[in-house]
Amino acid sequence: MKAFKTTVTSAIALCLMMSSSMATAEITARMGTSLPDSHPQTLGAQYFSKLVNEKSDGEITIQVFSNGILGNDVNMTSMLQSGTLQFTVPSTATLASLNSDFSIISLPFQFSNEAQADEVLDGDVGKSLLDSLNNKGLSALAFWENGFRHITNSRRPINSLDDLKGLKIRTMQNDLYIGLFNGLNANAVPMPVTELFTALETHTVDGQENPYTVINTARFFEVQKYLSRTAHAYDALVLLASKPFMDSLNETQRQIIHEAAQEATTYQRAESRRLNNELLAELEKKMEINEVSEDERDRMGSSLQPLIERYQNELDSGLVEDFKQAL
Ligand code: PAF
């Protein structure tokens, strides 16, 4: 009888221990970014991770791996689809290979300022783009910002369309960007950003194009002399979660991820804007920077008109209409 009582007591104790450990079962997720810790992409990731941890009372931990340690944007997006990585933040240009409609955001010379971009991304166009990734193994949580892109190179200042002739310019691995730089008479060389510093240093390419935050935090100024302020395209990032991972969470946990994503978005966009302004002043001390006149920007835009129209005709017509209305 005594042995029976002891067995029952031990079984109850074991059940209590198991249920309490199940209640506090900790979830550890990984998030990869392609840029250094000081870039707003990674700053946003750190802030999102902190919010998720606080809101879940420590139940969910997101470890952030910056600077392409886990792979480039294309690899990391595939890892999310297969469930081997839980979060990442690629450019909309990377996502055009999953849904070509994402190209609408990257069309050159469309946005005049960040407020216009917010209008498009937070409206019907943005919502339909985010939803479209649901059947691709991805849960798209929000649009973050990379910013307006400008050209750097080691050969000469770009004051006019003609100055781009023959320059080897690294682009993202995206057909629209390849068409854009070939359309400006440069030679587009697509490659992941994680390989770019070495390619610039060894002169495999002459130049590249990115916002000031990337040029400064990835230290491209060490291997590039000229920065020409073309603002030829606006670039948004997408905060992505792995759908298999999101499906493995309970409703409360999913809610926490969504709330943290919204709060982190406000922070990330503000940091991106603050740093893009501040870092231009930093870059002025390190590079030769030139303004590109409105007339020359118009000439560049006009020479890209056939490319812009081709994309507008190929993309979803409702989306293109909504995009034009929002501008
Ligand atoms: O140039 C790139 O690859 C992109 O701007 C970024 C954001 C650095 C990586 O997606």
Side-chain angles (χ1 to χ4, degrees):
M1 188 60 181
K2 194 173 168 212
F4 173 73
K5 265 190 180 165
T6 313
T7 313
V8 171
T9 314
S10 317
I12 292 171
L14 187 67
C15 284
L16 284 171
M17 268 168 61
M18 276 175 64
S19 68
S20 85
S21 77
M22 275 164 73
T24 57
E26 282 178 13
I27 296 167
T28 303
R30 292 183 310 153
M31 177 163 190
T33 69
S34 53
L35 291 165
D37 289 349
S38 51
H39 186 274
Q41 183 197 47
T42 309
L43 293 174
Q46 299 285 11
Y47 191 71
F48 171 63
S49 154
K50 176 174 163 290
L51 290 176
V52 169
N53 197 258
E54 282 169 9
K55 286 175 188 287
S56 67
D57 287 328
E59 197 185 348
I60 308 174
T61 302
I62 301 177
Q63 298 170 334
V64 178
F65 296 86
S66 60
N67 223 3
I69 295 172
L70 298 183
N72 63 47
D73 283 341
V74 175
N75 310 145
M76 288 194 285
T77 304
S78 314
M79 287 161 77
L80 257 61
Q81 292 175 295
S82 63
T84 52
L85 178 67
Q86 289 70 45
F87 298 96
T88 192
V89 202
S91 158
T92 47
T94 302
L95 296 171
S97 62
L98 297 176
N99 172 9
S100 54
D101 286 338
F102 271 96
S103 300
I104 192 104
I105 308 299
S106 319
L107 286 178
F109 298 104
Q110 302 295 304
F111 293 111
S112 311
N113 52 51
E114 287 96 354
Q116 268 186 344
D118 287 350
E119 185 92 15
V120 169
L121 297 171
D122 297 337
D124 292 345
V125 172
K127 187 172 176 343
S128 97
L129 290 174
L130 295 183
D131 290 349
S132 75
L133 296 177
N134 250 314
N135 61 3
K136 309 269 185 207
L138 298 167
S139 174
L141 302 173
F143 284 102
W144 286 5
E145 181 172 273
N146 194 21
F148 282 95
R149 302 180 76 94
H150 308 272
I151 303 172
T152 68
N153 82 95
S154 54
R155 303 272 294 273
R156 52 182 175 260
I158 310 299
N159 282 302
S160 73
L161 179 57
D162 311 313
D163 294 328
L164 276 162
K165 203 169 165 58
L167 287 184
K168 281 184 278 171
I169 303 287
R170 172 271 176 179
T171 68
M172 288 188 277
Q173 297 157 290
N174 167 279
D175 287 342
L176 171 59
Y177 271 92
I178 297 170
L180 194 166
F181 277 90
N182 288 336
L184 293 175
N185 294 326
N187 296 326
V189 183
M191 72 174 71
V193 75
T194 42
E195 292 167 24
L196 181 52
F197 187 93
T198 308
L200 294 170
E201 192 175 33
T202 55
H203 297 279
T204 307
V205 289
D206 301 307
Q208 65 86 47
E209 45 83 53
N210 252 304
Y212 307 132
T213 47
V214 179
I215 298 167
N216 195 72
T217 61
R219 306 186 69 81
F220 294 154
F221 55 83
E222 288 179 2
V223 283
Q224 297 276 271
K225 182 166 180 192
Y226 303 103
L227 165 54
S228 305
R229 300 180 62 189
T230 45
H232 51 274
Y234 175 82
D235 194 29
L237 305 173
V238 183
L239 172 56
L240 288 179
S242 155
K243 184 136 191 317
F245 172 71
M246 290 297 272
D247 290 346
S248 74
L249 300 178
N250 65 37
E251 197 44 49
T252 314
Q253 293 165 335
R254 268 196 293 274
Q255 188 59 32
I256 287 172
I257 302 283
H258 282 284
E259 277 174 22
Q262 291 319 308
E263 280 181 43
T265 297
T266 310
Y267 165 84
Q268 197 279 341
R269 288 187 193 173
E271 275 302 275
S272 169
R273 284 158 204 186
R274 183 180 71 78
L275 286 169
N276 260 315
N277 284 333
E278 271 183 32
L279 295 180
L280 173 60
E282 276 302 304
L283 290 169
E284 265 158 7
K285 296 176 204 152
K286 301 167 181 161
M287 301 177 81
E288 275 187 32
I289 302 187
N290 68 287
E291 284 279 354
V292 180
S293 71
E294 276 311 306
D295 282 355
E296 275 307 319
R297 290 184 72 249
D298 287 349
R299 264 186 83 208
M300 291 178 188
S302 302
S303 76
L304 293 171
Q305 206 47 39
L307 178 84
I308 296 170
E309 279 167 21
R310 177 158 71 74
Y311 270 85
Q312 285 176 338
N313 292 333
E314 283 170 7
L315 302 179
D316 180 273
S317 55
L319 193 87
V320 173
E321 250 346 281
D322 286 347
F323 179 80
K324 286 181 178 167
Q325 294 288 325
L327 288 186

